Amino acid sequence: MRVVKLKLDKFRGFGFLDFRPAGHVFLVGEPRAGRTTILAALRKVLDPSSTRVRPSLWDIHRPMVELEEGADYPLTTVEVTLVELGDEIEQQLDDRLELVDAVTGDLSTATGTSMVLGLRFRYCLQYNPTDESLEHWVEYTKTAARASKKDRDMLQAIVIDRTLPLQLRAEGSFRSLVASEDEERLNGTLSSFTDDVHSATDALASSDAVSQALKSMSGRGAAPALGISRTQFESGVAFVAEDGSISGLLRAIQATLDIDDAGALPISAHGSTATSILAVTEAIAASKSSGKILIVDDFGDALDSAAADFLARMVRRDATQVWMATRRSEAYGGFAAEEIARLSLRTGRPTVHQLSSKPSRQERVRRRYLSQLLASAMSSRTVVLTEGPHDSEGYGTLDDRLLSEPAQV
């Protein structure tokens, strides 16, 4: 599965954005230019949990629109066009599919080599200024029918966030990876695990030490104060992990890792770098096995330079499609020049800049120097190109002077 078109209308800092990715997406740019906003918009559509939380007024583009009395406030929308859905999803959503251009994401009624079956999926946020209420939902653009939880789960993206890796909770990347290997066996194992935990808690409740403690409490007024017999109290106490459900049990446990003399330690105890490595690699594996889109913000913040470069290359190689935002120039090496989307505030509003996917011969030659000359400055507001070491030394001296005399800047 991959996104061939992302369209934002009145979402956060973007009054309007029509973005056509050239394969993978590597988002860079100056602060506040909208890298995180683009990924947040994508998650509004492809993360089933996005509409389980309260809608936010801050997702509406500012400044707010002045309306005439009785007029409806403009709808805030995020629309994605998806292709390469796979046979199972295409069969399930057959009546919602449309013929789209696999390159541009535009609709078409004509047939051609680039025309494929696709799906337009849209997040909507409606604000009512009269009572200051908000409503949000996800719908199919073709029919305006609201998407069910089952449908949203099928189209769910894999997100690398700040949660610990190797979690078996239902929303985790690791759970998705394990389920893709053998979901039936996983369900059977989890059921057996639940039975074993219940057996263990039952044994704990009926142990001599617990029984004596309950008898002591009962004899000191617990039973009559509750309006029950001592026997009812002593036999009625049991124990459960969390709320007793499989989800509750899985939240109560965490993975450990034994890789040195310290023995088995929780993942977090191995440090932020190890935690980040495991989070990225489990997401890569889950994306490759399921064909789902991978979304990662602030990639590499907890990684050293070598690990950031290596894992970025692995992400691009194995993920079906990755949308990555980062401040780390080392992560650029594995991506094609046309996959870079640089965001800037040069015009006073967020703007996305992309290189052509069909460069001329001269442009191809210039792109060879992109990583050498510009990669380290991809998150800078201004880039200064110098012709030689003397110019570089002069500008460096000027930079030092400006820093030492901030009042004169």
Side-chain angles (χ1 to χ4, degrees):
M1 189 188 313
R2 65 184 177 91
V3 175
V4 290
K5 185 177 179 180
L6 173 66
K7 189 164 69 174
L8 278 59
D9 191 8
K10 303 175 185 65
F11 182 77
R12 295 192 184 178
F14 290 94
F16 183 78
L17 174 68
D18 187 340
F19 180 64
R20 319 290 178 99
H24 298 289
V25 180
F26 187 77
L27 296 167
V28 295
E30 62 183 278
R32 300 189 304 108
R35 293 174 313 206
T36 296
T37 295
I38 288 178
L39 297 187
L42 202 60
R43 290 188 64 173
K44 290 292 184 183
V45 185
L46 299 180
D47 185 350
S49 66
S50 67
T51 51
R52 296 176 196 163
V53 297
R54 293 177 60 184
S56 173
L57 189 63
W58 299 112
D59 286 337
I60 298 176
H61 182 64
R62 305 303 171 100
M64 302 289 282
V65 177
E66 295 288 340
L67 298 176
E68 295 181 2
E69 187 175 352
D72 292 333
Y73 199 86
L75 193 66
T76 292
T77 62
V78 177
E79 181 181 286
V80 300
T81 302
L82 299 165
V83 298
E84 299 176 11
L85 300 168
D87 294 340
E88 181 179 352
I89 294 178
E90 288 185 357
Q91 291 175 7
Q92 294 281 345
L93 305 177
D94 177 65
D95 59 331
R96 297 167 177 80
L97 300 180
E98 301 173 275
L99 197 62
V100 301
D101 190 310
V103 177
T104 66
D106 292 331
L107 294 180
S108 177
T109 56
T111 57
T113 55
S114 64
M115 297 301 162
V116 297
L117 288 175
L119 180 72
R120 289 185 298 155
F121 215 37
R122 183 169 69 171
Y123 169 83
C124 301
L125 173 60
Q126 182 66 67
Y127 172 58
N128 185 339
T130 303
D131 57 8
E132 297 187 342
S133 63
L134 290 164
E135 182 186 8
H136 63 168
W137 65 92
V138 172
E139 65 182 23
Y140 297 98
T141 307
K142 178 183 177 181
T143 62
R146 299 196 179 187
S148 66
K149 180 183 181 300
K150 177 183 176 182
D151 291 354
R152 295 199 66 190
D153 286 342
M154 283 194 297
L155 300 169
Q156 177 181 0
I158 293 171
V159 180
I160 301 178
D161 52 25
R162 300 190 183 280
T163 58
L164 286 173
L166 301 181
Q167 299 293 305
L168 284 168
R169 56 187 175 81
E171 309 84 27
S173 298
F174 189 65
R175 173 68 173 270
S176 175
L177 175 60
V178 175
S180 68
E181 297 295 332
D182 192 335
E183 187 169 13
E184 185 176 349
R185 181 174 294 182
L186 170 64
N187 291 336
T189 301
L190 291 177
S191 179
S192 298
F193 171 69
T194 305
D195 293 340
D196 291 342
V197 171
H198 288 165
S199 297
T201 54
D202 288 343
L204 176 64
S206 60
S207 66
D208 292 341
V210 172
S211 296
Q212 289 300 322
L214 293 175
K215 287 179 180 179
S216 179
M217 291 174 61
S218 179
R220 286 165 176 76
L226 291 172
I228 58 177
S229 69
R230 294 180 62 173
T231 302
Q232 282 180 293
F233 174 74
E234 293 166 14
S235 63
V237 173
F239 300 97
V240 296
E242 288 281 341
D243 58 5
S245 66
I246 292 180
S247 298
L249 291 173
L250 296 179
R251 285 194 300 268
I253 62 174
Q254 61 176 312
T256 63
L257 186 61
D258 184 355
I259 55 176
D260 52 34
D261 293 340
L265 296 174
I267 300 300
S268 58
H270 288 280
S272 58
T273 299
T275 300
S276 184
I277 288 172
L278 293 174
V280 172
T281 51
E282 76 173 11
I284 296 171
S287 175
K288 184 174 178 61
S289 65
S290 65
K292 293 181 177 179
I293 296 163
L294 180 59
I295 302 172
V296 52
D297 194 9
D298 292 334
F299 174 83
D301 278 8
L303 298 172
D304 56 68
S305 298
D309 173 57
F310 171 71
L311 290 176
R313 293 175 185 272
M314 294 295 292
V315 167
R316 187 189 182 280
R317 188 193 73 176
D318 290 340
T320 304
Q321 185 188 42
V322 61
W323 289 66
M324 177 187 293
T326 184
R327 292 182 287 265
R328 300 295 298 267
S329 60
E330 301 90 351
Y332 158 67
F335 289 81
E338 60 270 19
E339 293 173 339
I340 300 172
R342 189 178 191 280
L343 290 93
S344 75
L345 289 168
R346 186 178 59 185
T347 61
R349 63 179 186 275
T351 306
V352 181
H353 308 274
Q354 293 174 275
L355 294 173
S356 171
S357 58
K358 296 180 179 180
S360 65
R361 187 172 182 178
Q362 286 184 326
E363 289 173 333
R364 283 198 298 270
V365 173
R366 295 192 194 105
R367 290 184 187 186
R368 296 175 186 173
Y369 302 98
L370 186 62
S371 60
Q372 301 174 28
L373 300 177
L374 295 178
S376 60
M378 284 183 177
S379 296
S380 302
R381 288 186 175 89
T382 304
V383 177
V384 178
L385 300 180
T386 61
E387 295 184 5
H390 299 296
D391 286 344
S392 180
E393 184 177 347
Y395 281 118
T397 302
L398 176 61
D399 184 40
D400 291 339
R401 180 172 298 177
L402 291 173
L403 287 174
S404 63
E405 303 173 4
Q408 299 180 23
V409 177

